[in-house]
Amino acid sequence: MIKFLLMINKQGQTRLSKYYDHVDVGKRAALEANVVKCCLFRKKEECSFVEYKDYKLVYRQYAALFIVVGITDDENELSIYELVHNFIEVLDKYFNRVTQIMFNLDKVHIMLDEMILNGCIVETNKNRILAPLLALDKMAES
Amino acid sequence: MALKIVKGSIDRMFDKNLQDLVRGIRNHKEDEAKYISTCIDEIKQELKQDNIAVKANAVCKLTYLQMLGYDISWAAFNIVEVMSSSKFTYKRIGYLAASQCFHEGTDVIMLTTNQIRKDLSSPNQYDTGVALTGLSCFVTPDLARDLANDIMTLMSHTKPYIRKKAVLIMYKVFLKYPESLRPAFPRLKEKLEDPDPGVQSAAVNVICELARRNPKNYLSLAPLFFKLMTSSTNNWVLIKIIKLFGALTPLEPRLGKKLIEPLTNLIHSRLVITLHRASVEKNVCLIGLVLPIVCVCVCVSNAVLISLSSGMPNHSASIQLCVQKLRILIEDSDQNLKYLGLLAMSKILKTHPKSVQSHKDLILQCLDDKDESIRLRALDLLYGMVSKKNLMEIVKKLMLHVDKAEGTTYRDELLTKIIDICSQSNYQYITNFEWYISILVELTRLEGTRHGHLIASQMLDVAIRVKAIRGFAVAQMAMLLDSGHLLTGNMQRNGICEVLYAAAWICGEFSEHLDDPMQTLEAMLRPKVASLPGHIQAVYVQNAAKLFATVLQKHEGATDSQAAQDTSQLLIERLPLFVQSANLEVQERASCILQLVKYIQKLQQKDVEVAEEVSALFAGELNPVAPKAQKKVPVPEGLDLDAWINEPPSESESEDEKPKAVFAKEEPKQSRARHIEVDEKELARRREARKQEQANNPFYIKSSPSSQKVYQDAPGVEHIPVVQIDLSVPLKVPGMPMSEQYLKLEEERRQKERADKKKKDKKKKKREKRGKGKRDDSGPESEEDITPAHQVDIVTEEMPENALPSDDDDKDPNDPHKALDIDLDKYVPSAENTLHKVTVCMLHAEKQGDLSITRHFLV
């Protein structure tokens, strides 16, 4: 199962974090710092899977943003790799510019909740993921 | 009054929303903490307002701040308020905040039960969806118990959107409240055949997770899954099902036979085309199938092997097929594929080492890769691929890497791996222990490593257990003690100076093998030693005493009383330095031994032979003890551990005197008499004291302490089988040994053996049987031809009589999956119905009640 998902920028600051297995708030900062250290210093040719303590980290870089997913051993690494890409595509479809992501993190959370539930992948179809969000927007306008 | 309202709304105009907060934080990069604390104060103000929109805004901002690392649990009640709002937008914000910050310890969760129940039965599907999503993050056992029924009903909801989420969250509910599994299971089974593919895959997901932990309960579902596997085209579902079969096949061998054909088809059809494409991205999900397919193939052939009735000719073919495909993956230039290929190979390795061994060259190549993850995987594989024949070459190659490796973490990893490879299954693959010790000594020359402790424990282990090698080991250790560079090396804990610990102990314990104990003794007592860490110094002091005993014996044997007295004098001169040490342990041992030596000197001046008595101080073999031996000691009959031993307090003082008496320095006459006495009781008491010292010393490596039983058996050392030593290789190697020469020697020796094989055939077999002791040689046939260079007798670990080594004690009693291990074929439908009725009544009662907000919170 998926343990956590982090969006980190190139300077190592966490932009978004979602934990599917409860971790104390104090320990989160330490965990994130370690994860960042592992992933940011990898070169381009190296593979996207890193072993970290008892998790595996699957990470992908998109321009200035790193998405890191921590998974347990039983999860298929390539499927998570594809999931990350799917997530980025959904974000791309909804937001026009990257900066908008930062100002609407609650919406990003909603999107993520539609895709991953309780550490398992629920939905990968972009239209279905965005349906509740669009409904929400319509309700907010009216 | 009107002014107040206007003032209030003006205030509200200047409230920040989330955008403003983020912008503000970005603009205040230098004083971020201060800015955020002002924001938090504003948020607290906003939360005191009545307006729900304002509260929701505040909670939204809090969620963002929580992500940055600020604790927001003080706002838990406000979050619950926002959750109870009727407008979807605000409710969403409340649930989001709850999922981010609520956990099992949050006490306001019980206020939410009713609210969640309302949301779950709401006509708006998004409300329900939001509740389900949020619930999955903070469900507690109480919540699970109360809401299990509602969620079960939702599994049959008309909208697939809801069904999907309900199915997935049931898994979490099962974990927290295991009794819900039985009534929910039939519905879960139905969902496997749901028309909507999303719901279907969710059901497959949940059942796979459950079945992985307790596979025997789900065997009845196997035919259903088989049908799904052959008919489904959704790759994600396929991956999960194949993994599930991997867990089931060990239990049901016929299943394995049935699976081989469809799996082979899958491998052929899906992978042939995709692997040759340049852009792998599009077909990555298909390649992701490889890993689980491999797992299942392994399990399948395993299962077939176990039930080897007809001897299926195909199973090894399917393994070969897998290995072939994996080889293609590993050779691919994409790093990700390489990684996965190596990962899958290591899984096959566990059950079919022979098929993998032919690809050793490829794996060794991967060791040179730039990517660290790939190197680590290759190392793991090597671990399983060693055999007696290639161990030396592999380790040689690894040592080369150790020299080349830049960063210390990788080098440390290599070091641990080398030692792991060599020491696996009780040193099964080492044919020449001298070579191994020389490898260990070479490893000590590494700088800046953190694994000195590991090397030290290996040296100790080998020296204790392999009797034949003790002479060589002791010679090496004596050289180490002499060498200056280790003393000037880094002094941190676990640094390479730990090796000196082992060296000193080995020299002391097996001092009879030493050529020149006098020189070693002097090396141990050099003033520079005082700069080593405390626990190492303590061992030095203790073992100096042991060496002293040997030296005395030697001198008195040669009736050289002057030399004997000189030795005592040497000790008396050098020990005071240790007596003044800051470390308590060192102080104690040094002062004990100093006093002892002073008495001995007095006796020597009277020309009394003391050597015998002094060496009696250190008599007795120290054998390794099995790690679980203490637990397995049976309680003797007639002993009630819960009964009071004495009447409480008054009599306990009498027990203090015994340990004091042994170390009594104040009464010289008494101790003098004890010196001459030297009977069994005295020895036993001294051993007891020494044992207590060792038990209380946190730095003492416990791999070699003796249990009470060993000392009682001390005269019966003969029960340990001792075998003739066959020394075809000379033990004395001048100077620091180079392990290279062992490789050459080994080659020559093997060739010689092969030439003489026929003549010595019978004799060899006999020797092998006696020499192997406890080792089971399960390697390939060709290894039988290689006899070890020394007939080694590996002393086995001590256990109480009739105790079996077992692994049952390791399981965690709090594992939630243990509670889910129930037999699902007999479920109780009636209990489900009564529960349903009760909840329906409760809902009715609510509807008729007052609809104020406070009521919502009442459970």
Side-chain angles (χ1 to χ4, degrees), chain A residues 47, chain B residues 280-281 284 329 332-339 374:
Chain A
C47 75
Chain B
V280 172
E281 298 288 337
V284 131
L329 271 185
D332 198 295
S333 53
D334 187 337
Q335 299 291 90
N336 290 336
L337 293 180
K338 248 192 220 171
Y339 181 85
I374 292 188

Side-chain angles (χ1 to χ4, degrees), chain A residues 22, chain B residues 73 76-77 80 98 101-110 138 140:
Chain A
H22 181 75
Chain B
S73 46
F77 189 74
V80 175
C101 96
F102 283 4
H103 55 91
E104 275 195 44
T106 312
D107 16 351
V108 293
I109 285 188
M110 65 177 117
F138 57 80
T140 60

Side-chain angles (χ1 to χ4, degrees), chain B residues 347-563:
Chain B
K347 293 215 174 121
I348 294 192
L349 188 72
K350 287 184 201 139
T351 46
H352 293 86
K354 288 188 214 176
S355 348
V356 179
Q357 268 175 4
S358 47
H359 301 286
K360 194 178 63 177
D361 53 326
L362 186 60
I363 313 282
L364 283 175
Q365 231 181 342
C366 286
L367 267 184
D368 295 323
D369 201 287
K370 297 170 281 173
D371 185 347
E372 195 166 311
S373 303
I374 292 188
R375 284 198 296 238
L376 287 173
R377 283 276 130 243
L379 269 181
D380 262 342
L381 263 178
L382 275 182
Y383 183 90
M385 283 170 73
V386 290
S387 64
K388 280 190 187 160
K389 273 204 272 188
N390 56 24
L391 176 69
M392 284 190 175
E393 318 166 26
I394 291 184
V395 173
K396 180 173 157 201
K397 192 133 197 255
L398 287 176
M399 296 289 279
L400 280 175
H401 275 276
V402 165
D403 286 330
K404 274 196 297 181
E406 325 83 37
T408 42
T409 41
Y410 181 53
R411 193 193 264 183
D412 281 342
E413 183 70 38
L414 269 175
L415 206 151
T416 12
K417 262 292 168 310
I418 292 178
I419 292 186
D420 274 344
I421 290 179
C422 291
S423 62
Q424 56 176 331
S425 18
N426 245 352
Y427 305 101
Q428 187 180 353
Y429 299 112
I430 298 191
T431 48
N432 188 337
F433 276 92
E434 279 185 32
W435 164 83
Y436 185 48
I437 293 204
S438 55
I439 290 278
L440 286 174
V441 169
E442 274 182 36
L443 283 176
T444 61
R445 288 194 224 129
L446 285 180
E447 292 162 8
T449 175
R450 287 176 297 115
H451 290 286
H453 187 80
L454 192 58
I455 302 181
S457 66
Q458 279 295 294
M459 285 182 177
L460 282 174
D461 211 21
V462 170
I464 293 174
R465 291 168 136 201
V466 186
K467 281 190 174 164
I469 213 61
R470 280 178 191 169
F472 178 69
V474 166
Q476 292 302 312
M477 296 301 122
M479 255 191 283
L480 266 182
L481 283 175
D482 255 340
S483 66
H485 77 274
L486 280 177
L487 283 175
T488 54
N490 61 347
M491 293 302 162
Q492 56 182 356
R493 289 255 16 222
N494 257 345
I496 206 64
C497 49
E498 293 283 333
V499 181
L500 290 174
Y501 182 121
W505 195 89
I506 293 176
C507 286
E509 187 70 11
F510 306 120
S511 47
E512 60 267 18
H513 296 285
L514 268 177
D515 266 348
D516 188 1
M518 194 64 203
Q519 194 201 10
T520 320
L521 184 60
E522 279 184 28
M524 274 193 186
L525 293 172
R526 265 185 245 158
K528 231 181 179 181
V529 171
S531 56
L532 286 172
H535 60 287
I536 299 184
Q537 284 185 50
V539 173
Y540 263 60
V541 167
Q542 185 76 3
N543 287 287
K546 292 185 196 169
L547 275 176
F548 176 56
T550 325
V551 168
L552 270 187
Q553 205 147 30
K554 215 175 163 193
H555 286 315
E556 289 201 3
T559 53
D560 187 358
S561 59
Q562 188 50 41

Side-chain angles (χ1 to χ4, degrees), chain B residues 712-730:
Chain B
Q712 285 162 12
D713 288 340
V717 168
E718 292 84 59
H719 70 274
I720 301 168
V722 176
V723 180
Q724 300 295 15
I725 297 177
D726 170 40
L727 295 174
S728 48
V729 176

Side-chain angles (χ1 to χ4, degrees), chain B residues 95-139:
Chain B
Y95 269 102
L96 177 63
S99 62
Q100 290 287 85
C101 96
F102 283 4
H103 55 91
E104 275 195 44
T106 312
D107 16 351
V108 293
I109 285 188
M110 65 177 117
L111 296 174
T112 61
T113 321
N114 240 19
Q115 178 57 42
I116 298 179
R117 188 173 282 141
K118 266 192 73 188
D119 284 327
L120 286 178
S121 44
S122 146
N124 181 353
Q125 63 167 338
Y126 294 119
D127 272 347
T128 324
V130 144
L132 283 172
T133 318
L135 189 61
S136 73
C137 293
F138 57 80
V139 65

Side-chain angles (χ1 to χ4, degrees), chain A residues 15-16 22 42 45-49 51 74 76 78-79 102-103 105 113-114 118 122-123 136, chain B residues 19 26 64 67 88 92 103 161 164 168 172 212 236 243 288 335-336 339-340 371 373 377:
Chain A
R15 289 282 168 226
L16 181 124
H22 181 75
R42 305 222 355 134
E45 320 83 52
E46 292 182 348
C47 75
S48 307
F49 314 120
E51 280 160 45
D74 48 297
N76 187 321
L78 273 177
S79 67
M102 286 308 113
F103 291 124
L105 281 174
D113 280 339
E114 292 294 318
N118 197 18
V122 167
E123 183 64 66
L136 196 73
Chain B
Q19 254 97 315
R26 283 194 171 182
Y64 183 75
M67 191 193 71
F88 177 62
R92 187 73 191 64
H103 55 91
Y161 176 77
K164 221 171 27 176
L168 277 176
K172 199 70 180 270
R212 230 161 32 84
W236 311 108
K243 262 220 165 101
Q335 299 291 90
N336 290 336
Y339 181 85
L340 287 180
D371 185 347
S373 303
R377 283 276 130 243

